[in-house]
Amino acid sequence: MITCTSDVQNFKTITSNGDYQVIVDASKDKGGSESGFRPQEMLEVAVASSMNIWIRMHAQKEGLPLKQVVTKVSLDRTSAPEAIFKYSVKLEGDLDEKQQKI
């Protein structure tokens, strides 16, 4: 369970799962103090980290020699009311052509 608690600073929010905390805040142009991730960035974090962990779990299961996975995600809201996640994935390791397609 995630708990979000407002702080005395305008829009600053302390987010916790009970063990770890993350600060979320609005940008200055929205009245925040930019003291943490913006809410939109938290959505990007959730997607990018989920993809990264899943790829690494799958690679481990398949015995693929991955050294690093880099996932980048951005949320494009220029076509409101739609929001589209755009992403890229970079795999680093000694992968042959067949392994790169798994």
Side-chain angles (χ1 to χ4, degrees):
M1 174 189 300
I2 300 297
T3 302
C4 294
T5 306
S6 58
D7 191 71
V8 293
Q9 289 181 355
N10 200 28
F11 304 128
K12 181 178 178 183
T13 305
I14 310 301
T15 305
S16 176
N17 68 354
D19 293 320
Y20 307 102
Q21 291 185 343
V22 173
I23 296 174
V24 180
D25 198 354
S27 58
K28 288 184 180 180
D29 66 321
K30 303 275 194 228
S33 61
E34 294 184 3
S35 61
F37 286 100
R38 293 177 299 140
Q40 173 180 326
E41 291 171 327
M42 294 302 291
L43 292 171
E44 294 166 342
V45 165
V47 174
S49 61
S50 294
M51 289 173 61
N52 193 296
I53 291 169
W54 183 87
I55 290 168
R56 290 167 33 217
M57 286 178 164
H58 184 71
Q60 188 177 54
K61 178 183 165 190
E62 296 294 324
L64 301 177
L66 276 183
K67 291 183 181 173
Q68 186 174 37
V69 176
V70 178
T71 51
K72 295 181 180 182
V73 173
S74 63
L75 184 59
D76 181 354
R77 298 188 302 174
T78 58
S79 300
E82 282 187 345
I84 299 168
F85 286 101
K86 296 183 177 183
Y87 67 91
S88 67
V89 177
K90 180 179 178 185
L91 305 177
E92 296 179 10
D94 297 322
L95 303 171
D96 62 31
E97 197 172 311
K98 182 181 176 186
Q99 291 171 324
Q100 290 177 8
K101 294 179 181 180
I102 290 180

